[in-house]
Structure formats: C-alpha cells, structure tokens
Amino acid sequence: MIQIYHNPRCGKSRNCLAFIEKSNQDFEIIPYLIETPTFEQLKTLLVQLNLEPIQLIRTKEKIWIENFKSKTLNNDEIINAMVENPILIERPIVVKDGKAIIGRDPELVASFLD
C-alpha cells in the first residue's frame, strides 16, 4: 500500500495526493503534522529516501532559521528537531514497497507509482 505523508495546507502535497488518488491504487494518508513520526520512523524514512537528515529539512522555515540554522547539529539532533517540529519535514513523502520519494514533482511520482 502507498503511504503519503501529507500536509493539506501545502499545494505540492495536495497535488501529489490528487495524483495518487487518480492512480487507483490503495493508499493511506498520514497527516504528519498531527501524527508526528517518531525518531525511529524518521530514521526508516530517511533510509527509504536515501537521504541524510539535513536533506529532509525545510531550511527556509522560520523555526529552522530562528532555532537551528546557526548551530552545528549531528544527524540525531536534526531528526529530533523534526520530531519536535514536524513542520520542518519536507513534504509530501510518498512510500511504496519499502522505498520513498519526496513527491513534489508529478512526473517523479508517476514513475514511482508504476
């Protein structure tokens, strides 16, 4: 089953969800701002995404700029920042068959769902 870590206030996330809905595949919406991923879930997502924690951070978010940008953080500290402030997590994240992508590009989502 497909999972989408979704923020309904984000246009890219809404577009990705609409694309998934049109694919006629079973999917689950994870409202990650409400159901915040745990530290371990984020570590798993990072492996599935093949990304370093900093690559999953929305570095232009006010919370990041004001609280973290000027600090030197290790990977665990970056993951903890996302657990404590899920708005920092890049979105949408689409998971299928043990792999994941950041679904901002409809063409990438299309090839990922095939």
Side-chain angles (χ1 to χ4, degrees):
M1 176 184 293
I2 298 166
Q3 294 177 311
I4 176 172
Y5 287 77
H6 177 60
N7 176 354
R9 293 176 138 178
C10 172
K12 296 278 186 187
S13 194
R14 289 191 308 269
N15 290 342
C16 183
L17 177 59
F19 196 87
I20 291 170
E21 289 172 333
K22 290 177 186 174
S23 76
N24 292 321
Q25 297 183 52
D26 291 334
F27 65 92
E28 171 189 16
I29 298 171
I30 300 170
Y32 71 94
L33 294 176
I34 298 167
E35 298 173 17
T36 305
T38 65
F39 183 91
E40 289 303 319
Q41 287 170 324
L42 280 173
K43 282 187 82 165
T44 298
L45 276 174
L46 287 162
V47 169
Q48 292 172 324
L49 288 160
N50 195 30
L51 295 177
E52 292 295 317
I54 193 64
Q55 294 174 293
L56 193 57
I57 290 283
R58 296 175 56 81
T59 58
K60 294 181 182 176
E61 283 289 337
K62 184 178 178 181
I63 292 170
W64 180 260
I65 293 167
E66 292 178 355
N67 298 301
F68 303 103
K69 183 179 180 181
S70 63
K71 296 180 180 178
T72 301
L73 303 173
N74 65 36
N75 285 344
D76 286 353
E77 291 168 327
I78 294 169
I79 294 169
N80 278 325
M82 289 187 276
V83 170
E84 294 169 11
N85 305 281
I87 194 70
L88 294 175
I89 301 170
E90 187 61 74
R91 62 198 179 242
I93 299 171
V94 181
V95 181
K96 180 181 178 187
D97 298 331
K99 295 183 181 175
I101 60 165
I102 296 174
R104 300 184 66 78
D105 177 355
E107 291 175 10
L108 180 62
V109 175
S111 65
F112 184 71
L113 294 178
D114 284 344

